[in-house]
Amino acid sequence: MSGLSLKCGDCGAHLRTVEEAQEHAELTNHSNFVESTEAVLNLICASCAKPCRSKTESELHTKRTGHAEFVDRTAESSKPIDLEAPKAVPVESTEEGALGETSQSGEMAVPEVNKSLLEELESMGFPLARATRALHYSGNSSIEAGINWVIEHENDPDIDEMPMVPINMKIEDAKPALTPDEIKIKAHELRERARKKKEEEEKKMEREREKERIRIGKELLEAKRIEEDNERKRIIALRKAEKEEEKRAREKIRQRLEEDKAERRRRLGLPPQDPEVSKPAVAPVVQEKKSMLPTKPATKAERMRDCLRALKHNHKEEDAKVKRAFQTLLTYVGNVAKNPDEEKFRKVRLNNASFQERVGSMKGGIEFLEFCGFEKIEGGAFLFLPRDKVDMAVLNIAGSELNSAIANPFFGVL
């Protein structure tokens, strides 16, 4: 069976003639063409008679115009391909003759359009192929319809290609031509209409984007609130555990004192002390004016929190430096907690320029490290945390308080 098309071996495109293959090669630099027995599709739109060469092209046309019915005339237009190169068209060929030429198959030709409308479009600066395509696909009805079609399809890849239709198609008579002034007014109105339509679409998209930003912002705020609630619950649980630990420690100390006292009485040969007798005499009740606020010793976490509040209050006009100081302190504490055996993380040179800029110059920064267990050595030249004094519980409390101070925007305000 003789070949019905030329197939590009590089991209798989099917081409009707050698001339199309040459144009394809110039555009894409593809040079691997073979003869194929598969014909190029010829799908004619039943609504506007636009020819489509492939399923993809017909789907794009349907998506753009809404036309879904096509007539398959592939069998009618398929002819054995002529492998001889086409002869060049003489330069003297008239424009009208070019419009009347038929395709190589003899069944497709450039559509006839109203010449006066075509001249008016060309006078407005539209190329011949674009003006012809606009008049043909807009129904060859008016300048307004043609310009409107050009504005809507100016991004089409084939906008400047001459349209081809079956040779037996006829074009209806066009409406009377408009004057040049009317053409300019119509063109201006159409452009304004297209501009307003585009602005409305952009405003609508901006509203949708704003709604999306608001939704995301609400989700972030809710996530932050949940995280802060969880952090507060964790801190409360940590403080409760600290109080229980202190209570157990006091009870152990009391029991040890009782045991030491009983041991001393045994060595001295004294009888064991009666628990009832050992109780101290009840002192007379003295009516005193009591303070409205209960007094209790401050815990390690409270002292650290007060230190950070004082640091922020002392530098309340320097929020960036305060936040950097908190982050630097968190780094020091985190390094010790992760690497307690590394001495370089447990020793800080006080006259170090970076340390002085970030922490040393901030009133309260060195005091916070001392609450974590650091001690001044070598005449106050270094801060050092001995290995046997590394308390993971204290470091965890310090890290928690620093994280709270960094994350809470209202920390230290009141």
Side-chain angles (χ1 to χ4, degrees):
M1 183 176 179
S2 59
L4 299 178
S5 65
L6 287 175
K7 182 178 180 181
C8 178
D10 296 318
C11 65
H14 286 273
L15 308 161
R16 285 196 182 97
T17 63
V18 175
E19 183 180 7
E20 290 185 3
Q22 290 174 347
E23 293 178 357
H24 182 76
E26 291 175 359
L27 292 173
T28 62
N29 293 325
H30 297 168
S31 59
N32 182 19
F33 296 93
V34 294
E35 191 175 0
S36 174
T37 58
E38 183 178 354
V40 178
L41 294 180
N42 185 20
L43 304 175
I44 307 300
C45 178
S47 302
C48 64
K50 173 176 171 59
C52 299
R53 298 164 59 99
S54 65
K55 288 289 185 182
T56 302
E57 189 173 347
S58 65
E59 291 173 358
L60 289 174
H61 179 71
T62 300
K63 186 176 181 180
R64 186 185 304 119
T65 64
H67 302 164
E69 295 184 5
F70 294 87
V71 179
D72 190 353
R73 295 184 179 177
T74 304
E76 300 175 9
S77 61
S78 61
K79 299 289 183 180
I81 191 168
D82 186 5
L83 296 180
E84 294 183 1
K87 295 181 180 180
V89 179
V91 178
E92 294 80 7
S93 297
T94 63
E95 186 177 281
E96 295 166 354
L99 290 173
E101 286 182 357
T102 60
S103 64
Q104 188 175 358
S105 65
E107 297 193 10
M108 301 294 290
V110 176
E112 295 181 3
V113 296
N114 186 281
K115 292 183 179 180
S116 60
L117 297 180
L118 182 64
E119 290 176 357
E120 290 178 7
L121 285 177
E122 287 187 286
S123 67
M124 295 172 65
F126 294 103
L128 174 62
R130 183 176 297 196
T132 303
R133 181 177 288 271
L135 290 174
H136 171 65
Y137 290 122
S138 65
N140 201 44
S141 57
S142 65
I143 288 292
E144 180 180 359
I147 295 175
N148 194 19
W149 188 93
V150 171
I151 293 174
E152 293 178 355
H153 297 81
E154 60 182 354
N155 295 324
D156 291 358
D158 57 351
I159 185 67
D160 290 319
E161 294 181 7
M162 191 67 74
M164 303 295 291
V165 298
I167 197 169
N168 58 355
M169 286 190 63
K170 299 297 182 181
I171 304 300
E172 298 179 356
D173 294 335
K175 295 180 180 179
L178 301 175
T179 64
D181 292 338
E182 291 175 339
I183 291 173
K184 292 180 181 179
I185 293 173
K186 288 291 183 182
H188 179 71
E189 290 177 355
L190 291 172
R191 288 192 176 92
E192 283 296 315
R193 193 183 307 164
R195 181 183 62 79
K196 290 180 180 178
K197 183 178 179 181
K198 186 176 180 180
E199 288 178 354
E200 290 176 358
E201 292 178 353
E202 290 178 352
K203 289 179 180 179
K204 183 178 180 181
M205 293 178 62
E206 181 62 27
R207 287 194 296 268
E208 294 296 329
R209 287 194 291 267
E210 183 64 22
K211 289 180 181 179
E212 183 66 15
R213 284 195 292 268
I214 292 173
R215 184 187 65 80
I216 294 174
K218 289 181 178 179
E219 291 180 355
L220 291 176
L221 289 175
E222 181 65 16
K224 185 176 181 180
R225 185 189 64 78
I226 294 173
E227 182 180 358
E228 290 177 352
D229 288 344
N230 293 335
E231 181 68 15
R232 282 194 292 270
K233 292 177 181 178
R234 191 183 67 82
I235 293 174
I236 292 172
L238 182 62
R239 291 173 182 170
K240 184 177 180 181
E242 289 177 358
K243 292 179 180 179
E244 293 293 332
E245 182 65 24
E246 291 177 358
K247 183 178 179 181
R248 287 193 294 269
R250 287 195 296 271
E251 182 64 23
K252 287 181 180 180
I253 293 173
R254 189 189 64 77
Q255 291 179 358
R256 184 172 298 177
L257 290 175
E258 292 292 336
E259 293 174 357
D260 291 344
K261 188 175 180 180
E263 180 64 21
R264 286 196 299 271
R265 291 182 66 85
R266 186 184 63 78
R267 290 178 180 176
L268 295 173
L270 298 175
Q273 186 177 7
D274 188 353
E276 294 295 333
V277 177
S278 63
K279 291 182 179 180
V282 179
V285 178
V286 179
Q287 295 294 334
E288 296 180 356
K289 186 178 180 181
K290 296 183 178 179
S291 173
M292 296 299 293
L293 297 176
T295 58
K296 61 177 182 179
T299 64
K300 181 76 73 173
E302 291 172 344
R303 291 197 295 271
M304 289 182 178
R305 194 178 312 112
D306 292 340
C307 180
L308 294 177
R309 284 201 187 99
L311 190 151
K312 186 168 184 178
H313 181 73
N314 292 332
H315 305 275
K316 57 184 177 181
E317 301 298 332
E318 301 174 299
D319 290 341
K321 290 184 67 176
V322 170
K323 187 174 182 180
R324 186 175 63 175
F326 288 168
Q327 291 172 342
T328 304
L329 290 171
L330 183 61
T331 301
Y332 281 126
V333 172
N335 287 338
V336 175
K338 294 176 183 177
N339 308 278
D341 295 326
E342 293 288 340
E343 183 177 339
K344 63 180 181 180
F345 295 124
R346 294 185 284 105
K347 190 172 184 180
V348 181
R349 183 187 295 274
L350 291 178
N351 61 359
N352 181 274
S354 177
F355 176 80
Q356 281 294 323
E357 180 185 0
R358 293 172 176 268
V359 177
S361 61
M362 308 292 285
K363 186 177 180 180
I366 296 176
E367 288 80 352
F368 184 85
L369 291 176
E370 289 177 341
F371 282 134
C372 296
F374 284 84
E375 303 172 353
K376 289 183 179 180
I377 61 172
E378 299 183 16
F382 292 92
L383 279 176
F384 182 68
L385 178 59
R387 179 63 184 90
D388 57 348
K389 293 186 178 181
V390 174
D391 191 337
M392 288 300 177
V394 173
L395 295 179
N396 288 333
I397 294 172
S400 176
E401 295 299 332
L402 286 168
N403 278 323
S404 177
I406 294 171
N408 186 1
F410 303 105
F411 178 83
V413 174
L414 300 178

